[in-house]
Amino acid sequence: MEKISVILPDGARIELNTGSTAYDLAGAIGPRLRKAAVAAVVNDQLVDLSTQLNSGDIVSIVVDHNESGVDVIRHSTAHVMAQAVMRLYPNVKLGIGPTIEEGFYYDFDLEKRISIEDLAIIEAEMKRIVSENLIFEKQIVSKEEAKQIFKDQPYKIELIKEIADETVNIYRQGEFVDLCRGPHLPSTGRIKAFKLLSIAGAYWRGDERRPMLQRIYGTAFPSEKELKEHIQNLEEAERRDHRKLGRELDIFSIDEEFGAGLPLWHPKGAILRKVIEDFWKNEHLKRGYELITTPHIAKVDLWRTSGHWDFYRESMFSPMEVEGTDYVVKPMNCPGHIKVYKSHTRSYRELPIRWAELGTVYRFERSGVLHGLLRVRGFTQDDAHIFCAPDQIEDEILGVIELMTSILKKFGFEEYDVYLSTQPEKFVGMQENWDRATGALRMALEKAGLAYEIDPGEGVFYGPKIDVKIRDALGRSWQCTTIQVDFNLPDRFELAYIGADNQEHRPIMIHRAILGSLERFIGVLIEHYAGAFPVWISPEQVVVLPIADRHNDYAAGVNEKLRGLGARARVDMRTESVNKKIRDAQLQKIPYMLIIGDREVENKQVAVRDRSGNRGPVTFDAFIGELKVNMMPAAVDKFVEAADGGVSQA
């Protein structure tokens, strides 16, 4: 029999019989690999294991614990779920069923409203399908043939009509057929562990003018152990949900009468924001940034010049007419910073210019994607723009990275996933600038010692960028810092500086945000700490709890001293038992409780209780000494100075 020779990722060659598949290759390498194999990458394309190989193909086997492998498992499980729903509910119309981070979903148009109790019934049918070990069979058919296959599926017909090619991919397993690019597992029997999680409504194509479908969310893993761990993490994530904790801790609310996606900050939330904002401003001022402020609205013509009106229109709110001129609420802060730059002639001696603004912007997000503080319509970016000469890019990027790591570490984030997004197919600017900017981003990352992945072609049209995702206490990643190099806006607004040669030169503009937005970052903080913030961030740091009315005067004096020192403290003089007061303070996750009774009044002490439990009586000075260590740096000097002044006379 004739042979073919395929190449493994390490350059080794393996001979196989002509007609061999990727699955055959896995078996030729070893039985353990054959058992773990779920898909293959052939010449950089992810494919089914049933794909026939040709001589010279470069092939790697994708296993079940590989990230791509887990995605294939979940994609196949989504098809099994759709098959189960079609078996159980007549006349169902299928939407789409993609994989998402940590799971999958499928949208259905059903006559019956599915309840959470129905998920167990669907799961049972899915297990039957898995036990049937149905083969996932890929077929390539013409668009006309596909229309006949899906003649009773209007949503699939709509998708088929939008396909540019004359042929489409479909997958069959048993009686079920779906429109799909694949790849899939060899058979349904390879699915080992799955769970249906929740139900939600979802407009078809995300358009509220289209039908509302029923979306079933689920997840799948290579093993029951991993699935169990994931379910436990989901339960913990539910306990930490910032929407639930935001309400319980009285931090923020969203009122539909006021407007969807527009958070209202309660007193505790406003204090939390102030702490973060003050810290952010101080850190920037120390590093040579200057603070500026720009209006919330601007004329439409400004956004035409910037290009947002043409390229970002669908995410902008509609214009409002003011004295015959159209204005819009700003979706970005950058044009305002540019106008400040253009307010007078700039010299190369001024560069780099670093301007920072906590600027509130407004973007139209469809109601279906709004999610507490994590996806809103009005939010405050921790924005900054750096105007620099081309040869200053690397140093400025390095400075931003240092600032990022310093700030995020203070908030308790030290694990990141970093991506360098490079030049896309369509771009503006000179190739020389792109090469220099990409090289500067790369060198800065390497000098900073940050491991990173290349995200090829995913830069924005105006320049390459760095994206940083932080990992929280549950290991979840959140988009946070972004650093973008921009050649487009300086050209559009004809920015210039006078160089040493007395000629005009075009500056490079760096857009960067460290936290991303205050709203999203606070939502992440709430979930990261489950609402039990570090002392320096906590909206309330100390609550003083007198046991009886006769202790109120001393408690009020302690509270007054604490507040005079800058601590966020209050005294609870309610006519409740001290145990009830302690319980309420625990529910509010206040770091310190100072309990005042006869002994404390007599000895001029406070009985300290923190999140770990009772600590017993200490002098007021001793407590202040501990508190000042846990306060943010800007407050330490005030505590030191006050403590030295004899605050034990509270």
Side-chain angles (χ1 to χ4, degrees):
M1 180 175 290
E2 292 185 14
K3 299 286 187 179
I4 61 172
S5 176
V6 298
I7 306 168
L8 301 182
D10 62 1
R13 288 181 174 270
I14 289 188
E15 285 197 345
L16 301 167
N17 292 329
T18 299
S20 292
T21 64
Y23 199 38
D24 295 326
L25 172 62
I29 295 173
R32 291 180 62 184
L33 182 61
R34 180 184 178 89
K35 184 178 180 180
V38 296
V41 175
V42 179
N43 302 326
D44 295 326
Q45 184 177 359
L46 188 66
V47 299
D48 298 297
L49 285 172
S50 60
T51 301
Q52 286 195 2
L53 303 178
N54 297 307
S55 199
D57 283 344
I58 301 173
V59 188
S60 62
I61 301 300
V62 177
V63 297
D64 51 12
H65 283 80
N66 175 280
E67 183 178 344
S68 297
V70 174
D71 195 67
V72 170
I73 291 171
R74 290 171 177 164
H75 192 184
S76 300
T77 310
H79 277 227
V80 169
M81 179 176 72
Q83 184 177 13
V85 170
M86 290 197 76
R87 286 184 177 184
L88 292 168
Y89 304 100
N91 303 319
V92 60
K93 308 302 179 189
L94 300 176
I96 58 173
T99 59
I100 55 176
E101 188 173 1
E102 299 188 331
F104 59 86
Y105 69 79
Y106 212 113
D107 291 340
F108 303 100
D109 193 341
L110 287 161
E111 296 173 355
K112 177 187 183 303
R113 175 61 59 185
I114 294 178
S115 68
I116 198 73
E117 290 76 19
D118 293 323
L119 296 186
I121 299 171
I122 299 171
E123 279 187 7
E125 187 61 37
M126 291 173 67
K127 290 177 181 177
R128 276 189 282 272
I129 295 169
V130 169
S131 69
E132 292 169 16
N133 199 25
L134 303 174
I135 301 297
F136 283 99
E137 180 187 1
K138 178 181 178 179
Q139 294 179 335
I140 301 175
V141 301
S142 69
K143 288 178 70 172
E144 291 307 313
E145 187 177 354
K147 290 177 183 177
Q148 283 301 310
I149 293 171
F150 295 102
K151 63 180 184 297
D152 297 324
Q153 295 291 335
Y155 302 110
K156 298 295 183 183
I157 294 292
E158 181 178 328
L159 295 174
I160 292 168
K161 289 178 179 178
E162 294 176 0
I163 295 174
D165 297 335
E166 289 305 312
T167 60
V168 298
N169 290 354
I170 63 172
Y171 275 82
R172 294 182 183 274
Q173 78 247 23
E175 81 284 1
F176 179 76
V177 60
D178 204 353
L179 188 69
C180 184
R181 289 192 298 268
H184 284 284
L185 295 170
S187 68
T188 61
R190 293 290 304 276
I191 297 172
K192 302 301 181 185
F194 62 86
K195 178 74 175 174
L196 302 187
L197 302 172
S198 61
I199 310 163
Y203 291 109
W204 172 239
R205 313 298 287 271
D207 187 343
E208 58 265 31
R209 297 167 297 183
R210 307 294 300 275
M212 171 71 80
L213 308 182
Q214 297 184 65
R215 175 171 293 177
I216 302 178
Y217 287 95
T219 191
F221 284 88
S223 70
E224 287 289 348
K225 179 177 181 292
E226 290 165 287
L227 176 62
K228 183 178 179 180
E229 290 173 352
H230 179 71
I231 298 302
Q232 290 173 344
N233 281 340
L234 288 179
E235 292 170 352
E236 178 62 19
E238 184 176 357
R239 186 180 74 84
R240 293 169 178 258
D241 191 318
H242 77 281
R243 295 166 298 179
K244 170 177 169 287
L245 289 173
R247 180 178 62 254
E248 293 174 356
L249 301 179
D250 201 20
I251 293 173
F252 77 95
S253 62
I254 295 177
D255 189 299
E256 290 300 319
E257 187 174 3
F258 192 90
L262 300 171
L264 299 171
W265 294 95
H266 299 197
K268 290 181 184 178
I271 285 293
L272 180 58
R273 282 182 61 117
K274 180 184 183 302
V275 170
I276 296 172
E277 289 175 5
D278 289 349
F279 172 72
W280 184 92
K281 290 176 182 177
N282 290 334
E283 291 298 301
H284 281 73
L285 291 171
K286 286 193 298 188
R287 289 169 174 81
Y289 283 80
E290 297 175 295
L291 303 178
I292 64 175
T293 302
T294 58
H296 290 241
I297 65 172
K299 292 181 178 179
V300 167
D301 286 347
L302 180 71
W303 308 105
R304 289 195 174 101
T305 301
S306 70
H308 291 98
W309 192 252
D310 294 325
F311 298 108
Y312 206 73
R313 177 69 184 92
E314 63 182 21
S315 295
M316 297 173 65
F317 281 96
S318 299
M320 64 187 89
E321 184 182 322
V322 180
E323 296 180 340
T325 300
D326 283 342
Y327 287 75
V328 291
V329 290
K330 64 178 179 180
M332 306 281 187
N333 297 304
C334 31
H337 293 207
I338 287 171
K339 284 298 184 181
V340 176
Y341 182 94
K342 290 196 70 173
S343 63
H344 61 79
T345 303
R346 303 289 174 177
S347 164
Y348 75 97
R349 297 180 185 277
E350 296 178 68
L351 304 183
I353 294 173
R354 307 182 190 104
W355 285 333
E357 176 183 17
L358 289 166
T360 301
V361 297
Y362 304 88
R363 299 178 187 174
F364 173 65
E365 300 279 4
R366 295 189 181 279
S367 57
V369 302
L370 298 175
H371 183 79
L373 295 177
L374 303 181
R375 195 75 175 264
V376 293
R377 287 175 172 165
F379 56 94
T380 302
Q381 287 183 311
D382 71 313
D383 219 346
H385 296 92
I386 300 170
F387 300 88
C388 63
D391 61 356
Q392 296 172 326
I393 296 177
E394 183 180 325
D395 285 343
E396 290 307 304
I397 297 297
L398 197 59
V400 174
I401 291 173
E402 186 279 325
L403 176 60
M404 172 198 79
T405 55
S406 174
I407 287 180
L408 293 181
K409 184 176 182 180
K410 292 288 199 312
F411 287 105
F413 299 106
E414 297 188 56
E415 293 185 21
Y416 322 114
D417 295 320
V418 183
Y419 302 88
L420 173 57
S421 301
T422 58
Q423 183 175 311
E425 288 186 16
K426 295 182 179 180
F427 63 92
V428 297
M430 296 184 296
Q431 187 64 48
E432 177 187 357
N433 282 338
W434 273 89
D435 293 342
R436 174 176 288 183
T438 304
L441 291 171
R442 181 182 289 107
M443 288 298 296
L445 286 170
E446 291 173 357
K447 285 184 178 180
L450 290 179
Y452 64 94
E453 295 181 31
I454 298 291
D455 201 359
E458 291 303 313
V460 285
F461 71 94
Y462 53 75
K465 64 173 180 170
I466 292 171
D467 285 320
V468 179
K469 295 183 178 181
I470 56 175
R471 290 199 171 271
D472 69 7
L474 297 182
R476 299 172 298 179
S477 61
W478 303 91
Q479 175 62 52
C480 197
T481 303
T482 184
I483 308 168
Q484 302 175 351
V485 180
D486 185 358
F487 316 119
N488 180 53
L489 287 181
D491 280 339
R492 281 181 169 268
F493 284 94
E494 299 181 342
L495 300 189
Y497 65 89
I498 305 301
D501 58 2
N502 210 33
Q503 300 297 311
E504 285 194 349
H505 298 269
R506 189 79 77 215
I508 301 296
M509 188 174 179
I510 298 172
H511 306 249
R512 47 110 297 195
I514 303 297
L515 308 179
S517 78
L518 290 186
E519 285 72 13
R520 182 180 178 83
F521 189 72
I522 289 173
V524 172
L525 274 180
I526 292 171
E527 298 200 4
H528 180 61
Y529 289 109
F533 301 112
V535 175
W536 77 271
I537 307 175
S538 293
E540 287 186 300
Q541 295 166 321
V542 187
V543 59
V544 185
L545 307 177
I547 293 175
D549 288 349
R550 64 181 179 275
H551 308 128
N552 284 351
D553 288 345
Y554 181 82
V558 167
N559 184 62
E560 184 179 350
K561 290 292 185 181
L562 286 168
R563 294 178 69 86
L565 296 169
R568 296 184 287 279
R570 65 178 172 86
V571 59
D572 184 350
M573 292 186 180
R574 293 178 300 162
T575 57
E576 302 281 0
S577 69
V578 71
N579 287 336
K580 175 70 164 60
K581 293 178 182 180
I582 290 172
R583 178 60 178 159
D584 289 346
Q586 288 175 326
L587 291 175
Q588 288 300 301
K589 303 182 185 291
I590 299 171
Y592 290 109
M593 289 161 267
L594 303 185
I595 301 166
I596 307 298
D598 290 337
R599 179 177 56 182
E600 286 72 35
V601 173
E602 181 180 349
N603 297 325
K604 302 298 181 184
Q605 295 177 322
V606 292
V608 180
R609 183 184 181 94
D610 61 18
R611 288 167 178 158
S612 63
N614 281 323
R615 301 255 304 279
V618 298
T619 66
F620 191 70
D621 278 353
F623 173 69
I624 289 300
E626 175 181 337
L627 183 59
K628 72 181 182 183
V629 172
N630 293 316
M631 295 291 288
M632 62 183 293
V636 170
D637 291 341
K638 291 175 65 177
F639 272 93
V640 171
E641 180 181 346
D644 288 345
V647 296
S648 60
Q649 301 305 311

